[in-house]
Amino acid sequence: MEPVVSAEERLADQTDADLLETMSLAQADPAEARDAWEVFYRRHATYLYAVCLRAYGDLLGGEAGAADLVADTFGRAYEHAATFDAAGATDADGLGRQVRAWLGRIAQRVMLSALRRRGRFAPRFLAPEHWANVP
């Protein structure tokens, strides 16, 4: 009987771009796509959580809200893995920066969508008299 190898061990040598490509093929091999997502998540979740907590923690009510944002972000990353563009990055460091920037943009869009749904920031229209007083 062969030993059971975890997804982390089996996919450890895959680049982030490889994992995203595998995730984008979820229709063909859902189990492999989930394994790739799990490895991808473990690589970047702590970083993204720290960024989301720092950037949006007050708006989200702290740690639990930041954790929800991270979960939503990784869900969208899984659904839209095929849209990732490495922008010419070939080395591991450059690719890692591109992936984290991509995840950050997804988190930002998720956050903006949540704020719009909440209606928290209703537009304010200023009277012409106010504009006359602006230097």
Side-chain angles (χ1 to χ4, degrees), residues 45-68:
T46 302
Y47 167 81
L48 187 62
Y49 173 77
V51 168
C52 290
L53 184 60
R54 183 175 63 233
Y56 307 115
D58 291 340
L59 289 170
L60 294 169
E63 295 176 359
D68 289 343

Side-chain angles (χ1 to χ4, degrees), residues 22-96:
T22 301
M23 289 163 39
S24 72
L25 302 173
Q27 295 292 332
D29 191 350
E32 188 68 13
R34 276 191 306 274
D35 288 348
W37 178 85
E38 179 183 334
V39 172
F40 184 78
Y41 178 86
R42 288 183 185 190
R43 286 184 187 176
H44 300 288
T46 302
Y47 167 81
L48 187 62
Y49 173 77
V51 168
C52 290
L53 184 60
R54 183 175 63 233
Y56 307 115
D58 291 340
L59 289 170
L60 294 169
E63 295 176 359
D68 289 343
L69 178 57
V70 169
D72 289 346
T73 299
F74 275 99
R76 293 242 181 120
Y78 181 82
E79 293 168 3
H80 302 285
T83 67
F84 174 72
D85 179 13
T90 55
D91 64 316
D93 289 337
L95 186 57

Side-chain angles (χ1 to χ4, degrees), residues 115 118-125:
L115 290 173
R118 235 193 261 181
R120 182 174 181 149
F121 298 110
R124 286 184 39 197
F125 298 99

Side-chain angles (χ1 to χ4, degrees), residues 72 76 109-120:
D72 289 346
R76 293 242 181 120
R109 288 184 189 124
V110 169
M111 184 65 192
L112 290 173
S113 293
L115 290 173
R116 281 189 209 106
R117 279 191 310 274
R118 235 193 261 181
R120 182 174 181 149

